[in-house]
Amino acid sequence: MNYWVLLLSIVLALLPAVVLTSLISRTTRAWICRIAFLVSVGLILSPWLWVRLGYDVPARAALLIVTGAFAGGIVLSAATAGIVEDNAPPSLGVQRMVLAYHAPSTVPRRRVPRGKRLLDIVGASVGLALTLPLWPIIGLLIWFEEPGPVFFTKNSVGLGGATFRQFKFRSMRYGAERLTGPVASPAGDPRTLRVGQRLRRWHLDELPELINVLGGTMSLVGPRPLRTILVLSHLRTVPGYAERHTVRPGIACLAQIEKFHMPPQERLEKDLAYIQHQSVMFDLRLLGRAVLTTIRGERRYHSDPPLVPSNRTTADPANGSGGPSEPIEHAGQLPGA
């Protein structure tokens, strides 16, 4: 019987809008999707409650009905916009230029501390198990504010300069960069969804990155991955910037914990400080601070001392490599790194 309820809810969610979606504006289509979801819930829930009047309503059955209606809305919006927004994928030419800065002969990869990969697998598995019940709720909140893709992929630079798809919950308007092209999102960005502001404050938009950790493209702790097109700009202006890609990028990092927004030069210094001190115990310490950051819902820490001092590095412009002893000359900085 439950399967029939689920099937009926999907059909009822699709019927009101399936014909009109290709003929109307995006705003109107979004409201039709919302109304289809609410009507689906109402049509199924009302007679069921009437029959069950005076009896306890099983929470499991009510949850199934709402889930079925939501699934119908997802199917409807996915037919026109998809379930994942693949944001501004870089061209092959841009990817090759980024890779050219990371030749193994000039920027060798760093050794992975013993036990780090095991920590990543165990930590990501536990994190998924604990947070997975939140995923449908987050998805529903995102979809209901703006029907469309629930997930978002950033095409970011990972280990060795390779571009990979970084998974996130969508926190901005669909197609936010359609007119501007790839640009960094500043604080108070008007393109951010209302629910997206809350997701970002508590870093809940980053939960799908646990899939990246299990897949091996990211680590729990490491330099924060940045988009390929922005990384190319930093590689051209900041000597030694390729050094931050000698380890896997991470969900948590020194830069994100100590101060969220910073210019690329300062970010590089923080990342190199982590790389030089990386160990399983240090990762555990950083993860503990990251959890506190998430619970507080704060993006900056002015009073907390840095976990490790930032080491100025010297870079050889010929090969993009650097050491930990002498200061780097100031290079051009791009906002919103």
Side-chain angles (χ1 to χ4, degrees), residues 138-146 149-150 169-170 193 195 199:
I138 294 173
L140 176 58
L141 293 174
I142 294 170
W143 182 88
F144 198 79
E145 180 172 350
E146 186 190 57
V150 171
F169 280 116
R170 181 169 65 94
L193 299 172
V195 65
L199 294 177

Side-chain angles (χ1 to χ4, degrees), residues 210-239:
L210 293 171
I211 298 174
N212 287 115
V213 175
L214 288 178
T217 54
M218 290 183 65
S219 177
L220 291 176
V221 182
R224 191 73 185 147
L226 301 177
R227 284 193 292 180
T228 305
I229 190 66
L230 296 179
V231 168
L232 180 59
S233 298
H234 300 336
L235 287 169
R236 289 169 170 170
T237 57
V238 181

Side-chain angles (χ1 to χ4, degrees), residues 8 55 101 110 116 140 153 174 197 211 219 260 312 318:
L8 180 61
Y55 300 91
Y101 281 89
R110 300 295 183 102
K116 181 176 175 67
L140 176 58
T153 60
Y174 176 59
Q197 295 172 0
I211 298 174
S219 177
F260 191 80
R312 291 280 183 174

